[in-house]
Amino acid sequence: MKPYFSALLILSTVTTMTGCTNLGTPRAQAAPCENPVTKNDVLAAQQSWGKAIVAIGKAENPEAEAQSTLDRLYAYDIGKVLFKPTLASDDPFRGTEKEALSYFVGGSISEDKGFALAPYNKVRFENEGIITNCDTAMSMGEYFFTKTDGSEIKVEYSFGYVRDENGDLKINLHHSSLPYQAQ
């Protein structure tokens, strides 16, 4: 075998084995993950979120219930939360917890009518995919909100999750939108 072909064969074998074509830079070994997020953790977080939306609409004090939901399920206590709600156009991004509360029950932003006040009987998720990476996860798909008359609203979503210091999964990215409608 000619030296040129032998080098290509070795390079091809190493690349296939390592999945990395940059052989000049050693890869750092990642520290082991102590409490990795699992797909089941994400599914449980989604179920909790759906139940919380239903509870807000049925609560005697929806604002207190919505605040409790934000405290339990969103990562405002950890850091930045990226929140792009479905029914928001004048102010499409909600950078603070107060603005997220306004979206759920109405309040500080004039276009907010209280999304979670509908009320809904059920929220179900259909995931396109879930990606986990140590103490974080992402999910994307569609969720369906069942109103009290039995009708269903389909919304597309992407959520990001992070573990807090207690090991609870909290939302640090919430993006949702109505499906594209062809004209």
mmCIF file of all heavy atoms in Angstrom, residues 29-36 134:
data_model
loop_
_atom_site.group_PDB
_atom_site.id
_atom_site.type_symbol
_atom_site.label_atom_id
_atom_site.label_comp_id
_atom_site.label_asym_id
_atom_site.label_seq_id
_atom_site.Cartn_x
_atom_site.Cartn_y
_atom_site.Cartn_z
ATOM 1 N N GLN A 29 -12.207 16.015 28.941
ATOM 2 C CA GLN A 29 -13.131 15.027 29.492
ATOM 3 C C GLN A 29 -14.130 15.769 30.369
ATOM 4 O O GLN A 29 -13.760 16.503 31.272
ATOM 5 C CB GLN A 29 -12.349 13.995 30.310
ATOM 6 C CG GLN A 29 -13.170 12.829 30.766
ATOM 7 C CD GLN A 29 -13.505 11.880 29.622
ATOM 8 O OE1 GLN A 29 -13.095 12.075 28.500
ATOM 9 N NE2 GLN A 29 -14.255 10.856 29.932
ATOM 10 N N ALA A 30 -15.432 15.604 30.110
ATOM 11 C CA ALA A 30 -16.463 16.258 30.898
ATOM 12 C C ALA A 30 -16.549 15.611 32.276
ATOM 13 O O ALA A 30 -16.365 14.406 32.421
ATOM 14 C CB ALA A 30 -17.800 16.148 30.188
ATOM 15 N N ALA A 31 -16.816 16.452 33.259
ATOM 16 C CA ALA A 31 -17.007 15.938 34.614
ATOM 17 C C ALA A 31 -18.277 15.097 34.644
ATOM 18 O O ALA A 31 -19.234 15.405 33.942
ATOM 19 C CB ALA A 31 -17.116 17.098 35.600
ATOM 20 N N PRO A 32 -18.285 14.042 35.435
ATOM 21 C CA PRO A 32 -19.496 13.219 35.492
ATOM 22 C C PRO A 32 -20.666 14.022 36.048
ATOM 23 O O PRO A 32 -20.496 14.876 36.910
ATOM 24 C CB PRO A 32 -19.112 12.069 36.427
ATOM 25 C CG PRO A 32 -17.874 12.491 37.124
ATOM 26 C CD PRO A 32 -17.240 13.576 36.309
ATOM 27 N N CYS A 33 -21.827 13.738 35.543
ATOM 28 C CA CYS A 33 -23.037 14.444 35.956
ATOM 29 C C CYS A 33 -23.626 13.724 37.171
ATOM 30 O O CYS A 33 -23.893 12.523 37.112
ATOM 31 C CB CYS A 33 -24.023 14.456 34.792
ATOM 32 S SG CYS A 33 -25.433 15.511 35.099
ATOM 33 N N GLU A 34 -23.828 14.452 38.258
ATOM 34 C CA GLU A 34 -24.297 13.839 39.497
ATOM 35 C C GLU A 34 -25.783 13.509 39.483
ATOM 36 O O GLU A 34 -26.210 12.523 40.057
ATOM 37 C CB GLU A 34 -23.983 14.754 40.678
ATOM 38 C CG GLU A 34 -22.502 14.885 40.941
ATOM 39 C CD GLU A 34 -22.210 15.779 42.134
ATOM 40 O OE1 GLU A 34 -23.091 15.949 42.998
ATOM 41 O OE2 GLU A 34 -21.093 16.308 42.183
ATOM 42 N N ASN A 35 -26.596 14.369 38.866
ATOM 43 C CA ASN A 35 -28.042 14.183 38.879
ATOM 44 C C ASN A 35 -28.599 14.502 37.494
ATOM 45 O O ASN A 35 -29.251 15.522 37.307
ATOM 46 C CB ASN A 35 -28.672 15.079 39.958
ATOM 47 C CG ASN A 35 -30.131 14.781 40.189
ATOM 48 O OD1 ASN A 35 -30.670 13.780 39.725
ATOM 49 N ND2 ASN A 35 -30.800 15.672 40.912
ATOM 50 N N PRO A 36 -28.329 13.649 36.513
ATOM 51 C CA PRO A 36 -28.726 13.976 35.142
ATOM 52 C C PRO A 36 -30.241 14.041 34.970
ATOM 53 O O PRO A 36 -30.996 13.288 35.579
ATOM 54 C CB PRO A 36 -28.140 12.825 34.319
ATOM 55 C CG PRO A 36 -27.982 11.700 35.275
ATOM 56 C CD PRO A 36 -27.720 12.326 36.610
ATOM 57 N N CYS A 134 -26.972 16.404 30.959
ATOM 58 C CA CYS A 134 -26.609 16.543 32.366
ATOM 59 C C CYS A 134 -27.754 17.188 33.144
ATOM 60 O O CYS A 134 -28.795 16.584 33.305
ATOM 61 C CB CYS A 134 -25.298 17.292 32.538
ATOM 62 S SG CYS A 134 -24.653 17.190 34.238
#
